[in-house]
Amino acid sequence: MSPALYLGGFGFGLIAVCYGFARFAFGLFLPQIDAALSLSSTLSGLISGGSFLGYCVAILLSAYLTERAGPRFVALLASLVAALGMTGIAFAHSPVWLAAAVMLAGSSTGLASPPMAAAVAAIVEKHRQSATNTVINAGTGAGVVLCGPVALLMGEQWRLAFAGFAAVAFAFALLAFFCVPASANRSRDAARLPPLTGALKRLIAASFLVGAASTAVWSFGGQLVALRLDWGSPGAGLLWIAIGAAGMVGAAAGSLIERFGINRVHRVFLAALASGTLMVGMVNTTPTLALLGGALFGVAYIMVTGVYLVWGVTALPHRPATGLMVGFLTIAIGQTAGAPVFGLLMDQFSATAAVTSFAALAVAAGLARA
């Protein structure tokens, strides 16, 4: 079996566990968690922001450790952190405990991506690296789509759901020993931040805006469809299935970039991201529009993050883990800032004002060129 296949398969699964289960499943189960722990929209936004803050710290640490200790160690660490964080969510009985567990679980996503980029650069043929990286990145969609049936089948049993997710994460910690190379090309500059070239500055601007815009659905999608359509857990589960299933199409980002160019792909899917957000959250939405909007959001988000992955790795070809880190860290910083602001706008103004404002942020990101 070629390295692109077995490493791509493991990476796809690891990203599914860390992003789909440990990070974004919180938004799916948020209405039930709200009911159990009596959380306000503002507090929910702050807790979601805590997850993204944990990601920010972890991805910086991950890029450094990957270049120093190798990708296998960091992939193993990501799996264990995801497992421990989701175990904490399953047993949370207060907002403080929940916030700490959500932050720990969310930080696993920051740990997961840089070692996979470094492993791909180390053992996959150069002409297959962009495609392999974007296939791995599309694991987010698989994780999200798997959360949907769990919500449909388990209803209010969100604690048991997170316990099951944690068990899967522990299994991936074992698989890391067999699928991820122990070492990769090590950089003498591992402790240094890269120089801010024009390409990186524009990447930072675009990814910050997209990160903020995406919290409208990732953190509040379940609440929006509950508000607009009176959907409970089953309806929110259907939304997550639509988001995740369409998101797996984002595996084609590398091929589309090669054919049409990074800027064209970037702008087309930013428009799709904004449109999907509006379809999910606007006051006159319908069940069909909400599910189509979720699908549009899902494919657009994975495509755009695939663009930022390729953008960062291309800008820093000798430090792929750090190149990925720049774009993905800035997405998370945008999400850290965006989730509390979205919750505040909902509380102080209206859901319509929040959704419209955050869709506009996605469109604004298109001003940046690779």
Side-chain angles (χ1 to χ4, degrees), residues 214-282:
S214 69
T215 58
V217 174
W218 284 133
S219 295
F220 292 92
Q223 286 186 319
L224 288 171
V225 294
L227 174 67
R228 301 305 195 195
L229 302 169
D230 197 28
W231 280 0
S233 179
L238 288 174
L239 176 66
W240 246 244
I241 291 171
I243 292 171
M248 287 188 285
V249 178
S255 299
L256 289 177
I257 289 169
E258 289 181 5
R259 182 171 182 180
F260 298 108
I262 194 167
N263 289 311
R264 185 177 298 176
V265 173
H266 185 215
R267 288 172 178 167
V268 166
F269 286 100
L270 286 175
L273 187 75
S275 300
T277 301
L278 291 172
M279 291 166 70
V280 169
M282 290 303 289

Side-chain angles (χ1 to χ4, degrees), residues 1-365:
M1 185 182 295
S2 73
L5 288 177
Y6 74 78
L7 184 61
F10 172 82
F12 183 89
L14 178 64
I15 296 301
V17 169
C18 291
Y19 280 79
F21 296 173
R23 186 176 180 190
F24 291 129
F26 177 73
L28 171 61
F29 290 97
L30 187 55
Q32 292 75 38
I33 296 173
D34 278 350
L37 299 178
S38 301
L39 307 178
S40 67
S41 293
T42 300
L43 183 56
S44 298
L46 289 171
I47 292 175
S48 296
S51 170
F52 298 133
L53 178 61
Y55 177 98
C56 294
V57 175
I59 197 168
L60 284 168
L61 180 63
S62 180
Y64 173 79
L65 288 177
T66 298
E67 294 182 351
R68 288 285 183 170
R72 180 185 295 167
F73 171 78
V74 184
L76 171 64
L77 184 62
S79 303
L80 292 176
V81 167
L84 292 174
M86 290 187 288
T87 300
I89 294 172
F91 288 97
H93 291 284
S94 71
V96 173
W97 184 332
L98 178 68
V102 168
M103 181 178 289
L104 183 63
S107 67
S108 70
T109 53
L111 293 170
S113 294
M116 299 316 303
V120 168
I123 66 173
V124 175
E125 299 92 332
K126 191 171 183 62
H127 69 279
R128 302 184 70 177
Q129 288 179 6
S130 290
T132 304
N133 274 322
T134 54
V135 166
I136 291 172
N137 186 57
T140 300
V144 172
V145 78
L146 288 172
C147 290
V150 171
L152 290 172
L153 293 172
M154 303 186 70
E156 304 296 317
Q157 301 299 316
W158 57 271
R159 296 184 187 277
L160 187 58
F162 276 99
F165 294 157
V168 176
F170 277 119
F172 269 85
L174 297 176
L175 288 174
F177 282 103
F178 304 100
C179 298
V180 184
S183 61
N185 295 329
R186 298 185 180 184
S187 172
R188 297 177 182 177
D189 298 323
R192 301 178 184 175
L193 291 174
L196 283 179
T197 62
L200 288 182
K201 288 178 182 178
R202 293 187 293 274
L203 170 60
I204 289 169
S207 54
F208 177 84
L209 292 173
V210 165
S214 69
T215 58
V217 174
W218 284 133
S219 295
F220 292 92
Q223 286 186 319
L224 288 171
V225 294
L227 174 67
R228 301 305 195 195
L229 302 169
D230 197 28
W231 280 0
S233 179
L238 288 174
L239 176 66
W240 246 244
I241 291 171
I243 292 171
M248 287 188 285
V249 178
S255 299
L256 289 177
I257 289 169
E258 289 181 5
R259 182 171 182 180
F260 298 108
I262 194 167
N263 289 311
R264 185 177 298 176
V265 173
H266 185 215
R267 288 172 178 167
V268 166
F269 286 100
L270 286 175
L273 187 75
S275 300
T277 301
L278 291 172
M279 291 166 70
V280 169
M282 290 303 289
V283 68
N284 57 347
T285 194
T286 65
T288 300
L289 280 176
L291 292 177
L292 288 174
L296 192 57
F297 174 89
V299 67
Y301 183 84
I302 302 303
M303 284 286 186
V304 171
T305 55
V307 165
Y308 295 157
L309 191 161
V310 173
W311 190 338
V313 170
T314 302
L316 293 172
H318 301 297
R319 300 181 65 186
T322 300
L324 178 147
M325 178 271 292
V326 171
F328 280 35
L329 169 64
T330 314
I331 290 171
I333 292 172
Q335 290 168 328
T336 303
V341 172
F342 192 94
L344 185 63
L345 286 174
M346 283 187 68
D347 279 344
Q348 298 298 320
F349 297 96
S350 67
T352 299
V355 168
T356 304
S357 300
F358 275 55
L361 292 179
V363 175

